[in-house]
Amino acid sequence: MTQHQRQEAPYGTWASPITAEMLISGGSSITEVVPDGDSVWWAESRPSEGGRIAIMRWQDDVTREVTPVETNVRTLMHEYGGGAWWAGNGTLWYVDYADQRLRSLEPGQSPRLLSPAPARERALRYADMRPTPDGHWLIAVVERHDSAGDDEAVMPENLIMAIATDGSGNCIELATGSDFYGSPCIAPDGRSLAWVEWQHPNMPWDDSCLKLAQLESSAEGIAISDTREVAGGQNESIVEPSWSPDGTLHYLSDRSDLWQLYALGQAEPVLQVDGEIGYPPWVHGLMRYGFDTRGKALAACFKGGIDHLPGFPEGTSFHSVRFSGDRLAFSCASWTQESAVYFDGQWVSTPRRLPFSDDFLPAPEVISFPTGGNADDTAHALYYAPAHPDYQAPAGTRPPLIVLAHGGPTSAARSQVSLAQRFWTSRGFAVVDVNYRGSSGFGRAYRKKLEGEWGIADVQDCVAVANYLVARGDVDADRLIIRGGSAGGFTVLSALAFHDTFTAGTSLYGVADLEALANDTHKFESRYLDSLIGAWPQDAEVYAERSPINHLEGFSAPMIVMQGSDDRIVPPNQSRMIVDALDARKLPVAYLEFDGEQHGFRQASTIMTAIRSELSFYGQVFGFEPSGETVPVDIRNLSPEC
């Protein structure tokens, strides 16, 4: 069918080749990459296997899965995980999700348990492990829940620990007393250890410091001495420390607003890029730069909400930028290609071949728009217009708009192909992914614009971008949807409670009651709200005022709420409270709770059911018949005129 033979059909009803099953079948996301001599390892997250993470290895033009088929490589550190494995000299070290214990795996052998059995199941959690050069120890960040007994209200202890690699179960504590630790890295000569630490109420992107200590390691034992703070603190965030081949300690700092690369002892950046290198360490194991054997640094950077790496203009998203000698490795994705692994001058993994043309995947428009009521306030977004080579809408009509509020909230819109987004654009929806004030990739000052303003600034920006696109004539003012998960779910609920811009909403595991969240969340985020809202309980009135659950009179738009039953970060009671309250007020609301799901949906059946139900919800609310796959969803209290 040519451009001139497009079928005319209303927005939202177009038949699309991008199915719900395609979101999980045959697809995998690459989360971390580690080069190792002439080989490279990477982690694949597989939705079709319940979100199981497998470790792959490429060597001599052969790719194979290294971990046993029953193994899921995932740590529960900080609940978000990351950094659950490392590889070197042909050996893999990893955490098995089932018991959270640390194992080693060498070619041709069975896995060997390294960490001791904890007093309680999953009470010891490991991340960011690195072997000492002598091979006797593995240094890792540890989260210990033993001291909490059966009382989960007692915060776990975080520390840096050395675990013997001989399978003896011998463990030695190296650094304790700080609230949090991250990114331990060992000097090439094995004589120094550096790491990042931070204290409540800070998050690591607020105020963190770089510590450096002398390290002594042997088969008999391991110890550190002369520990000192060498950078950071005082409203400065240090992330991703690393040693160059000549033994110089480097790190990323946002002291000049944008995270740039510094060397220890130098006041000015040793690499200053046109953009921002660093990213908030929500998970362990991030690395955005590396050094070749000459000590030359190469770094990825964000600019305008899109990722860049010198020499690779086709990419729009880069992760795990690392060198092994002069062999460069990273994962890369673009607007038309899912993530693939690059190593030593070639692509060694092949993303799945998408069974449709790139006409469904045009690059988004990068937009900036006024917001907040002040002349100098600007926010940013990526705008995706409806895209289907075989359909057009009737003249004079405009598409429904889905405004995406990302999670975090200290995070950013994705800068790569997302079939979950293209599912909508290929059916005739417009989508705008908002980098509201507080988002990452635009510098420290932009992140700080959300301090004390969560539920206000982010909501204003989502409202502003919807109005901006309506004013441009891009979208239908009567079909404006706001959608988000986790912190983005709170933005959704706040937008619907305090504004009348949106005519429908989708909240995935969103926060409804800030007081409940302050009293019922995990250690990593237990003081996050101090900066976003105010100190608890001193500012209890602000918490009450900002909580959507206390402003039910403001809700009028139909809403669908989805939640995992085992979510520890935003517990199910948050979603149940808002749904029950709206139902009691006879407001249109649909609710789906998925058994066994945690924070973010990983099971294939959940992912497919959720998006099919959401499509059914929009069809019912806006009065159109979606083409193809839907799962009929029950919308309580939906009146015929909706």
Side-chain angles (χ1 to χ4, degrees), residues 165-358:
T165 59
D166 61 5
S168 64
N170 189 18
C171 296
I172 297 177
E173 298 178 8
L174 298 180
T176 62
S178 185
D179 287 330
F180 298 99
Y181 296 89
S183 304
C185 56
I186 305 168
D189 63 6
R191 297 179 179 177
S192 298
L193 175 68
W195 66 87
V196 173
E197 63 180 54
W198 66 98
Q199 306 285 354
H200 275 144
N202 295 301
M203 299 300 284
W205 48 83
D206 295 327
D207 190 316
S208 57
C209 67
L210 180 64
K211 289 291 187 73
L212 179 64
Q214 293 182 8
L215 177 66
E216 294 184 7
S217 173
S218 68
E220 289 72 37
I222 187 170
I224 61 172
S225 60
D226 191 25
T227 301
R228 59 196 187 279
E229 183 176 316
V230 294
Q234 302 299 314
N235 296 314
E236 178 182 359
S237 172
I238 304 295
V239 297
E240 299 182 29
S242 180
W243 300 85
S244 58
D246 67 357
T248 300
L249 181 58
H250 291 75
Y251 56 91
L252 299 179
S253 169
D254 65 355
R255 66 182 62 150
S256 62
D257 187 43
L258 299 169
W259 270 308
Q260 304 288 349
L261 183 61
Y262 291 80
L264 187 62
Q266 297 192 30
E268 298 299 320
V270 296
L271 179 64
Q272 188 159 4
V273 301
D274 184 17
E276 182 161 47
I277 301 172
Y279 191 81
W282 280 101
V283 297
H284 292 272
L286 299 179
M287 182 50 62
R288 300 270 299 163
Y289 68 95
F291 301 95
D292 63 19
T293 55
R294 297 166 296 169
K296 182 180 179 181
L298 178 71
C301 70
F302 296 98
K303 184 180 180 182
I306 300 176
D307 211 3
H308 305 268
L309 185 68
F312 299 90
E314 69 277 14
T316 59
S317 179
F318 297 89
H319 300 278
S320 295
V321 179
R322 293 185 167 103
F323 281 89
S324 176
D326 286 322
R327 297 182 175 96
L328 172 65
F330 56 81
S331 72
C332 171
S334 69
W335 299 124
T336 58
Q337 178 183 284
E338 296 177 310
S339 54
V341 176
Y342 177 91
F343 177 62
D344 195 22
Q346 61 182 311
W347 298 99
V348 299
S349 77
T350 304
R352 63 175 166 171
R353 184 177 179 85
L354 299 175
F356 48 82
S357 75
D358 288 352

Side-chain angles (χ1 to χ4, degrees), residues 382-584:
L382 303 173
Y383 173 65
Y384 300 82
H388 197 306
D390 299 336
Y391 281 92
Q392 64 183 15
T397 63
R398 298 287 182 267
L401 173 68
I402 300 176
V403 176
L404 297 180
H406 64 70
T410 310
S411 186
R414 295 184 65 185
S415 62
Q416 66 184 70
V417 61
S418 166
L419 294 190
Q421 292 178 5
R422 304 299 188 162
F423 178 93
W424 301 111
T425 57
S426 63
R427 285 168 169 76
F429 290 77
V431 173
V432 63
D433 207 351
V434 188
N435 278 313
Y436 49 77
R437 286 169 290 172
S439 300
S440 303
F442 301 87
R444 183 181 181 89
Y446 193 75
R447 292 199 311 274
K448 291 289 185 181
K449 286 181 179 291
L450 202 60
E451 283 197 348
E453 296 293 312
W454 191 35
I456 297 176
D458 52 321
V459 174
Q460 288 176 343
D461 296 352
C462 289
V463 169
V465 75
N467 290 332
Y468 175 82
L469 293 170
V470 168
R472 282 201 335 184
D474 293 273
V475 300
D476 186 347
D478 294 326
R479 295 188 292 173
L480 300 177
I481 304 158
I482 184 166
R483 181 186 196 277
S486 190
F490 170 71
T491 302
V492 168
L493 298 175
S494 298
L496 297 178
F498 299 111
H499 297 264
D500 58 6
T501 302
F502 297 101
T503 50
T506 299
S507 172
L508 298 93
Y509 34 88
V511 178
D513 186 339
L514 292 171
E515 178 181 349
L517 182 66
N519 287 300
D520 187 18
T521 193
H522 57 132
K523 180 182 178 182
F524 180 63
E525 292 184 90
S526 62
R527 300 292 301 277
Y528 191 18
L529 300 187
D530 284 35
S531 61
L532 295 174
I533 302 293
W536 177 263
Q538 297 92 316
D539 295 316
E541 291 184 4
V542 180
Y543 280 68
E545 179 61 29
R546 296 273 182 90
S547 294
I549 193 69
N550 297 328
H551 297 276
L552 298 176
E553 73 283 353
F555 284 89
S556 60
M559 183 167 58
I560 183 169
V561 178
M562 292 183 270
Q563 174 73 44
S565 66
D566 296 346
D567 195 336
R568 290 288 309 281
I569 295 171
V570 179
N573 68 303
Q574 290 275 324
S575 290
R576 295 168 187 162
M577 280 192 298
I578 196 71
V579 169
D580 290 345
L582 295 178
D583 188 25

Side-chain angles (χ1 to χ4, degrees), residues 32 43 45 50-55 67 71-85 94-101 122 124-127 129 566 569 596-600 602:
E32 295 172 67
S45 177
R52 183 177 81 92
I53 298 176
I55 305 300
T67 42
T71 297
N72 183 6
V73 180
R74 181 179 165 214
T75 176
L76 288 172
M77 172 78 68
H78 294 174
E79 301 298 332
Y80 292 108
W85 65 280
Y94 67 93
V95 174
D96 192 325
Y97 174 73
D99 58 12
Q100 291 297 292
R101 295 180 69 183
R122 295 178 170 181
L124 289 172
R125 304 169 183 183
Y126 304 84
M129 60 285 301
D566 296 346
I569 295 171
E597 289 287 6
Q598 300 177 22
H599 197 66
R602 291 179 171 84

Side-chain angles (χ1 to χ4, degrees), residues 592-611:
L592 286 79
E593 185 171 307
F594 298 99
D595 289 340
E597 289 287 6
Q598 300 177 22
H599 197 66
F601 300 152
R602 291 179 171 84
Q603 299 175 28
S605 60
T606 299
I607 294 169
M608 291 190 293
T609 299
I611 201 163

